[in-house]
Amino acid sequence: NCIALTDVVIGNGVTEIGEWAFYKCESLKNLTLGNNIVTIGYAAFYYCTSLESLIIPDAVTTIEDGAFSFCTGLKTVKLPSTLKNIGENAFYQCLSLERVTFTEGLITIGDNAFFDCRLLNDLKLPASLTEIGVSAFEKCISLTEFKAGSGLKKIGAGAFSGCTKLKKITLNEGLITIGQNAFYENAVTE
């Protein structure tokens, strides 16, 4: 039981954080990840409600499904250029998440990856991104603008549904698929 754990430093010898590794470490506030981590596993930091900021090291290529789901205190996330895939529900209901720094190299954002991140208000996605999953940004009610990067090919069903302050959408010419209700219930004026 890790309920009282407040600080974690993961050394450079670690290359993978396994499934449920720090599940429900509700007091975890300070997290330092080693420079050689390649994969952050399924639900690895699920329900770490006191975690406020996160810098993902440069070796990480995959954040698996649910890795940071319900980290309700998380406010900022910085992603590395080595990151290729953000799994389903990776940051699901991170209710305090205001800013995510995306970098070139990211290819896919999974289904529900940022679902109900209510305070997320600035979305600058890289040109390398090709796919936004189903409901990936659904109910991100503070988003006001979305501009598709030049490499985006697919926007999943409901991807921006319920983004009630979303007023401006700019789509790229290479976009092939826009899923059902991708922009349902928003305030688009242009």
Side-chain angles (χ1 to χ4, degrees):
N1 190 342
C2 65
I3 200 158
L5 186 65
T6 59
D7 298 274
V8 171
V9 176
I10 297 174
N12 290 333
V14 176
T15 58
E16 182 176 341
I17 300 172
E19 296 180 5
W20 305 99
F22 294 92
Y23 169 68
K24 265 193 149 180
C25 293
E26 295 176 39
S27 298
L28 180 60
K29 187 170 183 163
N30 301 304
L31 175 62
T32 304
L33 299 173
N35 292 328
N36 295 316
I37 295 170
V38 176
T39 302
I40 298 175
Y42 179 88
F45 295 94
Y46 187 99
Y47 212 84
C48 291
T49 57
S50 295
L51 191 60
E52 291 182 2
S53 68
L54 182 61
I55 297 174
I56 307 289
D58 285 335
V60 174
T61 59
T62 301
I63 297 174
E64 292 188 357
D65 299 352
F68 296 95
S69 286
F70 298 102
C71 290
T72 55
L74 191 59
K75 294 177 183 175
T76 62
V77 175
K78 184 177 184 299
L79 302 173
S81 60
T82 54
L83 185 65
K84 304 294 179 210
N85 304 299
I86 298 174
E88 294 180 11
N89 304 306
F91 294 92
Y92 184 92
Q93 285 197 333
C94 290
L95 302 176
S96 300
L97 188 59
E98 298 172 4
R99 187 175 66 251
V100 178
T101 304
F102 295 94
T103 55
E104 285 300 325
L106 182 63
I107 298 168
T108 61
I109 296 175
D111 297 350
N112 301 303
F114 294 92
F115 181 94
D116 204 14
C117 292
R118 298 174 186 179
L119 299 180
L120 186 61
N121 58 32
D122 187 20
L123 191 59
K124 291 183 176 96
L125 298 173
S128 59
L129 184 68
T130 61
E131 183 176 343
I132 297 173
V134 172
S135 298
F137 294 96
E138 185 173 341
K139 294 190 179 181
C140 291
I141 60 174
S142 296
L143 280 180
T144 58
E145 183 177 349
F146 166 67
K147 182 178 180 183
S150 60
L152 190 63
K153 304 287 183 216
K154 180 180 180 182
I155 298 173
F160 293 91
S161 178
C163 296
T164 55
K165 292 182 182 173
L166 186 61
K167 293 182 180 179
K168 183 176 181 182
I169 298 169
T170 306
L171 302 175
N172 62 320
E173 292 204 18
L175 188 62
I176 298 168
T177 304
I178 300 173
Q180 181 177 3
N181 294 325
F183 296 98
Y184 181 68
E185 291 186 333
N186 57 46
V188 173
T189 58
E190 56 180 298

PDB file of all heavy atoms in Angstrom, residues 29-69:
ATOM      1  N   LYS A  29       3.408  13.341  -4.786  1.00  0.00           N
ATOM      2  CA  LYS A  29       3.415  14.707  -5.291  1.00  0.00           C
ATOM      3  C   LYS A  29       4.623  14.985  -6.183  1.00  0.00           C
ATOM      4  O   LYS A  29       4.541  15.731  -7.138  1.00  0.00           O
ATOM      5  CB  LYS A  29       3.390  15.689  -4.121  1.00  0.00           C
ATOM      6  CG  LYS A  29       3.225  17.123  -4.543  1.00  0.00           C
ATOM      7  CD  LYS A  29       2.966  18.028  -3.378  1.00  0.00           C
ATOM      8  CE  LYS A  29       2.742  19.441  -3.898  1.00  0.00           C
ATOM      9  NZ  LYS A  29       2.128  20.307  -2.952  1.00  0.00           N
ATOM     10  N   ASN A  30       5.758  14.395  -5.846  1.00  0.00           N
ATOM     11  CA  ASN A  30       6.999  14.650  -6.577  1.00  0.00           C
ATOM     12  C   ASN A  30       7.477  13.373  -7.257  1.00  0.00           C
ATOM     13  O   ASN A  30       7.751  12.385  -6.595  1.00  0.00           O
ATOM     14  CB  ASN A  30       8.070  15.171  -5.622  1.00  0.00           C
ATOM     15  CG  ASN A  30       7.637  16.450  -4.932  1.00  0.00           C
ATOM     16  OD1 ASN A  30       7.297  17.419  -5.592  1.00  0.00           O
ATOM     17  ND2 ASN A  30       7.621  16.444  -3.612  1.00  0.00           N
ATOM     18  N   LEU A  31       7.581  13.434  -8.583  1.00  0.00           N
ATOM     19  CA  LEU A  31       7.966  12.270  -9.367  1.00  0.00           C
ATOM     20  C   LEU A  31       9.115  12.650 -10.295  1.00  0.00           C
ATOM     21  O   LEU A  31       8.993  13.573 -11.102  1.00  0.00           O
ATOM     22  CB  LEU A  31       6.777  11.776 -10.194  1.00  0.00           C
ATOM     23  CG  LEU A  31       7.023  10.631 -11.163  1.00  0.00           C
ATOM     24  CD1 LEU A  31       7.462   9.369 -10.419  1.00  0.00           C
ATOM     25  CD2 LEU A  31       5.761  10.351 -11.979  1.00  0.00           C
ATOM     26  N   THR A  32      10.235  11.942 -10.160  1.00  0.00           N
ATOM     27  CA  THR A  32      11.373  12.141 -11.048  1.00  0.00           C
ATOM     28  C   THR A  32      11.592  10.839 -11.800  1.00  0.00           C
ATOM     29  O   THR A  32      11.820   9.793 -11.191  1.00  0.00           O
ATOM     30  CB  THR A  32      12.642  12.505 -10.242  1.00  0.00           C
ATOM     31  OG1 THR A  32      12.363  13.668  -9.453  1.00  0.00           O
ATOM     32  CG2 THR A  32      13.805  12.786 -11.175  1.00  0.00           C
ATOM     33  N   LEU A  33      11.494  10.907 -13.120  1.00  0.00           N
ATOM     34  CA  LEU A  33      11.643   9.721 -13.956  1.00  0.00           C
ATOM     35  C   LEU A  33      13.044   9.675 -14.554  1.00  0.00           C
ATOM     36  O   LEU A  33      13.549  10.682 -15.057  1.00  0.00           O
ATOM     37  CB  LEU A  33      10.598   9.739 -15.079  1.00  0.00           C
ATOM     38  CG  LEU A  33       9.141   9.726 -14.620  1.00  0.00           C
ATOM     39  CD1 LEU A  33       8.213   9.909 -15.814  1.00  0.00           C
ATOM     40  CD2 LEU A  33       8.816   8.444 -13.884  1.00  0.00           C
ATOM     41  N   GLY A  34      13.666   8.494 -14.518  1.00  0.00           N
ATOM     42  CA  GLY A  34      15.004   8.297 -15.071  1.00  0.00           C
ATOM     43  C   GLY A  34      15.055   8.515 -16.574  1.00  0.00           C
ATOM     44  O   GLY A  34      14.048   8.351 -17.278  1.00  0.00           O
ATOM     45  N   ASN A  35      16.236   8.831 -17.072  1.00  0.00           N
ATOM     46  CA  ASN A  35      16.422   9.187 -18.483  1.00  0.00           C
ATOM     47  C   ASN A  35      16.362   8.027 -19.466  1.00  0.00           C
ATOM     48  O   ASN A  35      16.404   8.253 -20.670  1.00  0.00           O
ATOM     49  CB  ASN A  35      17.750   9.924 -18.660  1.00  0.00           C
ATOM     50  CG  ASN A  35      17.736  11.274 -17.998  1.00  0.00           C
ATOM     51  OD1 ASN A  35      16.692  11.918 -17.922  1.00  0.00           O
ATOM     52  ND2 ASN A  35      18.875  11.697 -17.487  1.00  0.00           N
ATOM     53  N   ASN A  36      16.283   6.792 -18.991  1.00  0.00           N
ATOM     54  CA  ASN A  36      16.294   5.641 -19.901  1.00  0.00           C
ATOM     55  C   ASN A  36      14.957   4.911 -19.978  1.00  0.00           C
ATOM     56  O   ASN A  36      14.871   3.844 -20.586  1.00  0.00           O
ATOM     57  CB  ASN A  36      17.417   4.676 -19.509  1.00  0.00           C
ATOM     58  CG  ASN A  36      18.782   5.316 -19.706  1.00  0.00           C
ATOM     59  OD1 ASN A  36      19.020   5.953 -20.727  1.00  0.00           O
ATOM     60  ND2 ASN A  36      19.652   5.195 -18.726  1.00  0.00           N
ATOM     61  N   ILE A  37      13.921   5.485 -19.404  1.00  0.00           N
ATOM     62  CA  ILE A  37      12.601   4.858 -19.462  1.00  0.00           C
ATOM     63  C   ILE A  37      12.067   4.975 -20.885  1.00  0.00           C
ATOM     64  O   ILE A  37      12.039   6.064 -21.467  1.00  0.00           O
ATOM     65  CB  ILE A  37      11.628   5.510 -18.459  1.00  0.00           C
ATOM     66  CG1 ILE A  37      12.105   5.250 -17.034  1.00  0.00           C
ATOM     67  CG2 ILE A  37      10.206   4.996 -18.659  1.00  0.00           C
ATOM     68  CD1 ILE A  37      11.371   6.027 -15.976  1.00  0.00           C
ATOM     69  N   VAL A  38      11.645   3.844 -21.448  1.00  0.00           N
ATOM     70  CA  VAL A  38      11.120   3.800 -22.808  1.00  0.00           C
ATOM     71  C   VAL A  38       9.599   3.711 -22.791  1.00  0.00           C
ATOM     72  O   VAL A  38       8.921   4.325 -23.611  1.00  0.00           O
ATOM     73  CB  VAL A  38      11.726   2.600 -23.587  1.00  0.00           C
ATOM     74  CG1 VAL A  38      11.115   2.473 -24.967  1.00  0.00           C
ATOM     75  CG2 VAL A  38      13.231   2.745 -23.684  1.00  0.00           C
ATOM     76  N   THR A  39       9.064   2.951 -21.831  1.00  0.00           N
ATOM     77  CA  THR A  39       7.617   2.726 -21.763  1.00  0.00           C
ATOM     78  C   THR A  39       7.089   3.001 -20.363  1.00  0.00           C
ATOM     79  O   THR A  39       7.652   2.539 -19.375  1.00  0.00           O
ATOM     80  CB  THR A  39       7.292   1.257 -22.131  1.00  0.00           C
ATOM     81  OG1 THR A  39       7.788   0.994 -23.445  1.00  0.00           O
ATOM     82  CG2 THR A  39       5.797   1.003 -22.114  1.00  0.00           C
ATOM     83  N   ILE A  40       5.986   3.751 -20.324  1.00  0.00           N
ATOM     84  CA  ILE A  40       5.255   3.933 -19.071  1.00  0.00           C
ATOM     85  C   ILE A  40       4.021   3.050 -19.216  1.00  0.00           C
ATOM     86  O   ILE A  40       3.180   3.276 -20.085  1.00  0.00           O
ATOM     87  CB  ILE A  40       4.886   5.405 -18.829  1.00  0.00           C
ATOM     88  CG1 ILE A  40       6.188   6.233 -18.703  1.00  0.00           C
ATOM     89  CG2 ILE A  40       4.032   5.538 -17.569  1.00  0.00           C
ATOM     90  CD1 ILE A  40       5.981   7.720 -18.588  1.00  0.00           C
ATOM     91  N   GLY A  41       3.945   2.018 -18.386  1.00  0.00           N
ATOM     92  CA  GLY A  41       2.976   0.947 -18.545  1.00  0.00           C
ATOM     93  C   GLY A  41       1.534   1.288 -18.224  1.00  0.00           C
ATOM     94  O   GLY A  41       1.203   2.356 -17.694  1.00  0.00           O
ATOM     95  N   TYR A  42       0.697   0.331 -18.537  1.00  0.00           N
ATOM     96  CA  TYR A  42      -0.747   0.410 -18.333  1.00  0.00           C
ATOM     97  C   TYR A  42      -1.066   0.819 -16.894  1.00  0.00           C
ATOM     98  O   TYR A  42      -0.625   0.168 -15.941  1.00  0.00           O
ATOM     99  CB  TYR A  42      -1.365  -0.955 -18.656  1.00  0.00           C
ATOM    100  CG  TYR A  42      -2.856  -1.021 -18.473  1.00  0.00           C
ATOM    101  CD1 TYR A  42      -3.704  -0.666 -19.515  1.00  0.00           C
ATOM    102  CD2 TYR A  42      -3.420  -1.431 -17.274  1.00  0.00           C
ATOM    103  CE1 TYR A  42      -5.082  -0.722 -19.360  1.00  0.00           C
ATOM    104  CE2 TYR A  42      -4.796  -1.488 -17.107  1.00  0.00           C
ATOM    105  CZ  TYR A  42      -5.617  -1.132 -18.151  1.00  0.00           C
ATOM    106  OH  TYR A  42      -6.974  -1.179 -17.999  1.00  0.00           O
ATOM    107  N   ALA A  43      -1.781   1.906 -16.734  1.00  0.00           N
ATOM    108  CA  ALA A  43      -2.260   2.385 -15.432  1.00  0.00           C
ATOM    109  C   ALA A  43      -1.144   2.553 -14.395  1.00  0.00           C
ATOM    110  O   ALA A  43      -1.382   2.479 -13.197  1.00  0.00           O
ATOM    111  CB  ALA A  43      -3.360   1.474 -14.899  1.00  0.00           C
ATOM    112  N   ALA A  44       0.069   2.812 -14.845  1.00  0.00           N
ATOM    113  CA  ALA A  44       1.236   2.888 -13.957  1.00  0.00           C
ATOM    114  C   ALA A  44       1.076   3.900 -12.827  1.00  0.00           C
ATOM    115  O   ALA A  44       1.490   3.645 -11.698  1.00  0.00           O
ATOM    116  CB  ALA A  44       2.486   3.200 -14.770  1.00  0.00           C
ATOM    117  N   PHE A  45       0.468   5.042 -13.116  1.00  0.00           N
ATOM    118  CA  PHE A  45       0.283   6.085 -12.099  1.00  0.00           C
ATOM    119  C   PHE A  45      -1.206   6.422 -11.942  1.00  0.00           C
ATOM    120  O   PHE A  45      -1.556   7.541 -11.582  1.00  0.00           O
ATOM    121  CB  PHE A  45       1.093   7.334 -12.475  1.00  0.00           C
ATOM    122  CG  PHE A  45       2.572   7.092 -12.459  1.00  0.00           C
ATOM    123  CD1 PHE A  45       3.236   6.733 -13.622  1.00  0.00           C
ATOM    124  CD2 PHE A  45       3.294   7.188 -11.281  1.00  0.00           C
ATOM    125  CE1 PHE A  45       4.605   6.489 -13.617  1.00  0.00           C
ATOM    126  CE2 PHE A  45       4.657   6.940 -11.261  1.00  0.00           C
ATOM    127  CZ  PHE A  45       5.311   6.587 -12.429  1.00  0.00           C
ATOM    128  N   TYR A  46      -2.038   5.472 -12.197  1.00  0.00           N
ATOM    129  CA  TYR A  46      -3.489   5.620 -12.119  1.00  0.00           C
ATOM    130  C   TYR A  46      -3.890   6.096 -10.724  1.00  0.00           C
ATOM    131  O   TYR A  46      -3.473   5.537  -9.725  1.00  0.00           O
ATOM    132  CB  TYR A  46      -4.108   4.255 -12.419  1.00  0.00           C
ATOM    133  CG  TYR A  46      -5.604   4.189 -12.545  1.00  0.00           C
ATOM    134  CD1 TYR A  46      -6.194   4.186 -13.793  1.00  0.00           C
ATOM    135  CD2 TYR A  46      -6.426   4.090 -11.426  1.00  0.00           C
ATOM    136  CE1 TYR A  46      -7.572   4.082 -13.940  1.00  0.00           C
ATOM    137  CE2 TYR A  46      -7.799   4.000 -11.560  1.00  0.00           C
ATOM    138  CZ  TYR A  46      -8.368   3.995 -12.819  1.00  0.00           C
ATOM    139  OH  TYR A  46      -9.723   3.896 -12.955  1.00  0.00           O
ATOM    140  N   TYR A  47      -4.645   7.145 -10.662  1.00  0.00           N
ATOM    141  CA  TYR A  47      -5.219   7.675  -9.421  1.00  0.00           C
ATOM    142  C   TYR A  47      -4.166   8.211  -8.455  1.00  0.00           C
ATOM    143  O   TYR A  47      -4.298   8.114  -7.235  1.00  0.00           O
ATOM    144  CB  TYR A  47      -6.101   6.619  -8.745  1.00  0.00           C
ATOM    145  CG  TYR A  47      -7.263   7.212  -7.978  1.00  0.00           C
ATOM    146  CD1 TYR A  47      -8.439   7.545  -8.624  1.00  0.00           C
ATOM    147  CD2 TYR A  47      -7.174   7.456  -6.615  1.00  0.00           C
ATOM    148  CE1 TYR A  47      -9.498   8.102  -7.922  1.00  0.00           C
ATOM    149  CE2 TYR A  47      -8.232   8.012  -5.911  1.00  0.00           C
ATOM    150  CZ  TYR A  47      -9.389   8.330  -6.566  1.00  0.00           C
ATOM    151  OH  TYR A  47     -10.434   8.892  -5.865  1.00  0.00           O
ATOM    152  N   CYS A  48      -3.115   8.795  -8.994  1.00  0.00           N
ATOM    153  CA  CYS A  48      -2.128   9.508  -8.159  1.00  0.00           C
ATOM    154  C   CYS A  48      -2.612  10.957  -8.098  1.00  0.00           C
ATOM    155  O   CYS A  48      -2.155  11.817  -8.847  1.00  0.00           O
ATOM    156  CB  CYS A  48      -0.728   9.391  -8.753  1.00  0.00           C
ATOM    157  SG  CYS A  48      -0.045   7.727  -8.669  1.00  0.00           S
ATOM    158  N   THR A  49      -3.550  11.212  -7.237  1.00  0.00           N
ATOM    159  CA  THR A  49      -4.310  12.457  -7.235  1.00  0.00           C
ATOM    160  C   THR A  49      -3.539  13.691  -6.772  1.00  0.00           C
ATOM    161  O   THR A  49      -3.985  14.808  -7.016  1.00  0.00           O
ATOM    162  CB  THR A  49      -5.583  12.307  -6.381  1.00  0.00           C
ATOM    163  OG1 THR A  49      -5.199  11.904  -5.062  1.00  0.00           O
ATOM    164  CG2 THR A  49      -6.523  11.270  -6.975  1.00  0.00           C
ATOM    165  N   SER A  50      -2.394  13.522  -6.135  1.00  0.00           N
ATOM    166  CA  SER A  50      -1.623  14.671  -5.650  1.00  0.00           C
ATOM    167  C   SER A  50      -0.524  15.111  -6.611  1.00  0.00           C
ATOM    168  O   SER A  50       0.083  16.167  -6.429  1.00  0.00           O
ATOM    169  CB  SER A  50      -1.000  14.355  -4.286  1.00  0.00           C
ATOM    170  OG  SER A  50      -2.021  14.167  -3.326  1.00  0.00           O
ATOM    171  N   LEU A  51      -0.264  14.326  -7.644  1.00  0.00           N
ATOM    172  CA  LEU A  51       0.770  14.654  -8.625  1.00  0.00           C
ATOM    173  C   LEU A  51       0.353  15.914  -9.384  1.00  0.00           C
ATOM    174  O   LEU A  51      -0.748  15.978  -9.926  1.00  0.00           O
ATOM    175  CB  LEU A  51       0.939  13.477  -9.589  1.00  0.00           C
ATOM    176  CG  LEU A  51       2.113  13.483 -10.531  1.00  0.00           C
ATOM    177  CD1 LEU A  51       3.415  13.510  -9.755  1.00  0.00           C
ATOM    178  CD2 LEU A  51       2.055  12.258 -11.429  1.00  0.00           C
ATOM    179  N   GLU A  52       1.223  16.960  -9.400  1.00  0.00           N
ATOM    180  CA  GLU A  52       0.850  18.238 -10.001  1.00  0.00           C
ATOM    181  C   GLU A  52       1.523  18.535 -11.336  1.00  0.00           C
ATOM    182  O   GLU A  52       0.944  19.210 -12.177  1.00  0.00           O
ATOM    183  CB  GLU A  52       1.139  19.386  -9.029  1.00  0.00           C
ATOM    184  CG  GLU A  52       0.223  19.382  -7.825  1.00  0.00           C
ATOM    185  CD  GLU A  52       0.471  20.551  -6.896  1.00  0.00           C
ATOM    186  OE1 GLU A  52       1.325  21.405  -7.191  1.00  0.00           O
ATOM    187  OE2 GLU A  52      -0.205  20.599  -5.862  1.00  0.00           O
ATOM    188  N   SER A  53       2.752  18.091 -11.514  1.00  0.00           N
ATOM    189  CA  SER A  53       3.433  18.356 -12.784  1.00  0.00           C
ATOM    190  C   SER A  53       4.230  17.123 -13.185  1.00  0.00           C
ATOM    191  O   SER A  53       4.595  16.300 -12.348  1.00  0.00           O
ATOM    192  CB  SER A  53       4.338  19.586 -12.695  1.00  0.00           C
ATOM    193  OG  SER A  53       5.425  19.331 -11.851  1.00  0.00           O
ATOM    194  N   LEU A  54       4.483  17.039 -14.481  1.00  0.00           N
ATOM    195  CA  LEU A  54       5.100  15.831 -15.007  1.00  0.00           C
ATOM    196  C   LEU A  54       5.972  16.192 -16.197  1.00  0.00           C
ATOM    197  O   LEU A  54       5.524  16.859 -17.134  1.00  0.00           O
ATOM    198  CB  LEU A  54       3.987  14.880 -15.440  1.00  0.00           C
ATOM    199  CG  LEU A  54       4.342  13.529 -15.991  1.00  0.00           C
ATOM    200  CD1 LEU A  54       5.092  12.700 -14.965  1.00  0.00           C
ATOM    201  CD2 LEU A  54       3.065  12.798 -16.390  1.00  0.00           C
ATOM    202  N   ILE A  55       7.229  15.762 -16.131  1.00  0.00           N
ATOM    203  CA  ILE A  55       8.127  15.893 -17.276  1.00  0.00           C
ATOM    204  C   ILE A  55       8.503  14.475 -17.682  1.00  0.00           C
ATOM    205  O   ILE A  55       9.116  13.736 -16.915  1.00  0.00           O
ATOM    206  CB  ILE A  55       9.386  16.708 -16.924  1.00  0.00           C
ATOM    207  CG1 ILE A  55       8.994  18.130 -16.537  1.00  0.00           C
ATOM    208  CG2 ILE A  55      10.358  16.707 -18.105  1.00  0.00           C
ATOM    209  CD1 ILE A  55      10.143  18.979 -16.027  1.00  0.00           C
ATOM    210  N   ILE A  56       8.076  14.088 -18.875  1.00  0.00           N
ATOM    211  CA  ILE A  56       8.367  12.749 -19.388  1.00  0.00           C
ATOM    212  C   ILE A  56       9.758  12.801 -20.025  1.00  0.00           C
ATOM    213  O   ILE A  56      10.005  13.637 -20.891  1.00  0.00           O
ATOM    214  CB  ILE A  56       7.310  12.318 -20.432  1.00  0.00           C
ATOM    215  CG1 ILE A  56       5.886  12.445 -19.884  1.00  0.00           C
ATOM    216  CG2 ILE A  56       7.598  10.907 -20.930  1.00  0.00           C
ATOM    217  CD1 ILE A  56       5.490  11.464 -18.838  1.00  0.00           C
ATOM    218  N   PRO A  57      10.677  11.916 -19.622  1.00  0.00           N
ATOM    219  CA  PRO A  57      12.045  11.968 -20.150  1.00  0.00           C
ATOM    220  C   PRO A  57      12.143  11.631 -21.639  1.00  0.00           C
ATOM    221  O   PRO A  57      11.266  10.987 -22.208  1.00  0.00           O
ATOM    222  CB  PRO A  57      12.809  10.956 -19.303  1.00  0.00           C
ATOM    223  CG  PRO A  57      11.803  10.154 -18.585  1.00  0.00           C
ATOM    224  CD  PRO A  57      10.506  10.871 -18.626  1.00  0.00           C
ATOM    225  N   ASP A  58      13.244  12.037 -22.223  1.00  0.00           N
ATOM    226  CA  ASP A  58      13.454  11.950 -23.666  1.00  0.00           C
ATOM    227  C   ASP A  58      13.483  10.564 -24.279  1.00  0.00           C
ATOM    228  O   ASP A  58      13.327  10.434 -25.473  1.00  0.00           O
ATOM    229  CB  ASP A  58      14.730  12.701 -24.055  1.00  0.00           C
ATOM    230  CG  ASP A  58      14.537  14.196 -24.023  1.00  0.00           C
ATOM    231  OD1 ASP A  58      13.396  14.659 -24.182  1.00  0.00           O
ATOM    232  OD2 ASP A  58      15.534  14.915 -23.844  1.00  0.00           O
ATOM    233  N   ALA A  59      13.674   9.517 -23.528  1.00  0.00           N
ATOM    234  CA  ALA A  59      13.718   8.170 -24.112  1.00  0.00           C
ATOM    235  C   ALA A  59      12.332   7.546 -24.300  1.00  0.00           C
ATOM    236  O   ALA A  59      12.177   6.590 -25.052  1.00  0.00           O
ATOM    237  CB  ALA A  59      14.573   7.244 -23.242  1.00  0.00           C
ATOM    238  N   VAL A  60      11.325   8.086 -23.650  1.00  0.00           N
ATOM    239  CA  VAL A  60       9.984   7.481 -23.675  1.00  0.00           C
ATOM    240  C   VAL A  60       9.381   7.539 -25.073  1.00  0.00           C
ATOM    241  O   VAL A  60       9.308   8.596 -25.693  1.00  0.00           O
ATOM    242  CB  VAL A  60       9.042   8.155 -22.645  1.00  0.00           C
ATOM    243  CG1 VAL A  60       7.622   7.630 -22.770  1.00  0.00           C
ATOM    244  CG2 VAL A  60       9.558   7.937 -21.230  1.00  0.00           C
ATOM    245  N   THR A  61       8.933   6.372 -25.573  1.00  0.00           N
ATOM    246  CA  THR A  61       8.276   6.305 -26.879  1.00  0.00           C
ATOM    247  C   THR A  61       6.785   6.023 -26.749  1.00  0.00           C
ATOM    248  O   THR A  61       6.018   6.343 -27.648  1.00  0.00           O
ATOM    249  CB  THR A  61       8.901   5.205 -27.767  1.00  0.00           C
ATOM    250  OG1 THR A  61       8.779   3.950 -27.111  1.00  0.00           O
ATOM    251  CG2 THR A  61      10.360   5.503 -28.068  1.00  0.00           C
ATOM    252  N   THR A  62       6.381   5.404 -25.609  1.00  0.00           N
ATOM    253  CA  THR A  62       4.984   5.024 -25.444  1.00  0.00           C
ATOM    254  C   THR A  62       4.495   5.303 -24.026  1.00  0.00           C
ATOM    255  O   THR A  62       5.147   4.926 -23.056  1.00  0.00           O
ATOM    256  CB  THR A  62       4.788   3.519 -25.732  1.00  0.00           C
ATOM    257  OG1 THR A  62       5.226   3.250 -27.073  1.00  0.00           O
ATOM    258  CG2 THR A  62       3.338   3.103 -25.600  1.00  0.00           C
ATOM    259  N   ILE A  63       3.344   5.950 -23.953  1.00  0.00           N
ATOM    260  CA  ILE A  63       2.607   6.064 -22.696  1.00  0.00           C
ATOM    261  C   ILE A  63       1.388   5.167 -22.893  1.00  0.00           C
ATOM    262  O   ILE A  63       0.536   5.455 -23.734  1.00  0.00           O
ATOM    263  CB  ILE A  63       2.188   7.513 -22.405  1.00  0.00           C
ATOM    264  CG1 ILE A  63       3.427   8.405 -22.226  1.00  0.00           C
ATOM    265  CG2 ILE A  63       1.298   7.567 -21.164  1.00  0.00           C
ATOM    266  CD1 ILE A  63       3.116   9.877 -22.073  1.00  0.00           C
ATOM    267  N   GLU A  64       1.347   4.066 -22.169  1.00  0.00           N
ATOM    268  CA  GLU A  64       0.298   3.074 -22.384  1.00  0.00           C
ATOM    269  C   GLU A  64      -1.047   3.514 -21.803  1.00  0.00           C
ATOM    270  O   GLU A  64      -1.151   4.509 -21.086  1.00  0.00           O
ATOM    271  CB  GLU A  64       0.740   1.724 -21.824  1.00  0.00           C
ATOM    272  CG  GLU A  64       1.883   1.129 -22.631  1.00  0.00           C
ATOM    273  CD  GLU A  64       2.227  -0.297 -22.236  1.00  0.00           C
ATOM    274  OE1 GLU A  64       1.640  -0.861 -21.292  1.00  0.00           O
ATOM    275  OE2 GLU A  64       3.121  -0.864 -22.901  1.00  0.00           O
ATOM    276  N   ASP A  65      -2.059   2.724 -22.122  1.00  0.00           N
ATOM    277  CA  ASP A  65      -3.437   3.010 -21.726  1.00  0.00           C
ATOM    278  C   ASP A  65      -3.552   3.283 -20.227  1.00  0.00           C
ATOM    279  O   ASP A  65      -3.000   2.546 -19.407  1.00  0.00           O
ATOM    280  CB  ASP A  65      -4.348   1.831 -22.082  1.00  0.00           C
ATOM    281  CG  ASP A  65      -4.387   1.530 -23.570  1.00  0.00           C
ATOM    282  OD1 ASP A  65      -3.835   2.310 -24.356  1.00  0.00           O
ATOM    283  OD2 ASP A  65      -4.979   0.498 -23.939  1.00  0.00           O
ATOM    284  N   GLY A  66      -4.278   4.339 -19.894  1.00  0.00           N
ATOM    285  CA  GLY A  66      -4.600   4.645 -18.507  1.00  0.00           C
ATOM    286  C   GLY A  66      -3.432   5.029 -17.625  1.00  0.00           C
ATOM    287  O   GLY A  66      -3.577   5.119 -16.408  1.00  0.00           O
ATOM    288  N   ALA A  67      -2.264   5.282 -18.190  1.00  0.00           N
ATOM    289  CA  ALA A  67      -1.049   5.503 -17.400  1.00  0.00           C
ATOM    290  C   ALA A  67      -1.201   6.576 -16.324  1.00  0.00           C
ATOM    291  O   ALA A  67      -0.702   6.413 -15.212  1.00  0.00           O
ATOM    292  CB  ALA A  67       0.127   5.845 -18.314  1.00  0.00           C
ATOM    293  N   PHE A  68      -1.906   7.659 -16.637  1.00  0.00           N
ATOM    294  CA  PHE A  68      -2.081   8.758 -15.679  1.00  0.00           C
ATOM    295  C   PHE A  68      -3.557   9.084 -15.470  1.00  0.00           C
ATOM    296  O   PHE A  68      -3.889  10.199 -15.074  1.00  0.00           O
ATOM    297  CB  PHE A  68      -1.308   9.996 -16.153  1.00  0.00           C
ATOM    298  CG  PHE A  68       0.181   9.781 -16.208  1.00  0.00           C
ATOM    299  CD1 PHE A  68       0.794   9.411 -17.400  1.00  0.00           C
ATOM    300  CD2 PHE A  68       0.959   9.923 -15.071  1.00  0.00           C
ATOM    301  CE1 PHE A  68       2.164   9.193 -17.461  1.00  0.00           C
ATOM    302  CE2 PHE A  68       2.331   9.701 -15.120  1.00  0.00           C
ATOM    303  CZ  PHE A  68       2.935   9.333 -16.316  1.00  0.00           C
ATOM    304  N   SER A  69      -4.432   8.142 -15.717  1.00  0.00           N
ATOM    305  CA  SER A  69      -5.871   8.368 -15.526  1.00  0.00           C
ATOM    306  C   SER A  69      -6.159   8.779 -14.088  1.00  0.00           C
ATOM    307  O   SER A  69      -5.554   8.260 -13.150  1.00  0.00           O
ATOM    308  CB  SER A  69      -6.665   7.098 -15.828  1.00  0.00           C
ATOM    309  OG  SER A  69      -6.716   6.860 -17.203  1.00  0.00           O
TER     310      SER A  69
END
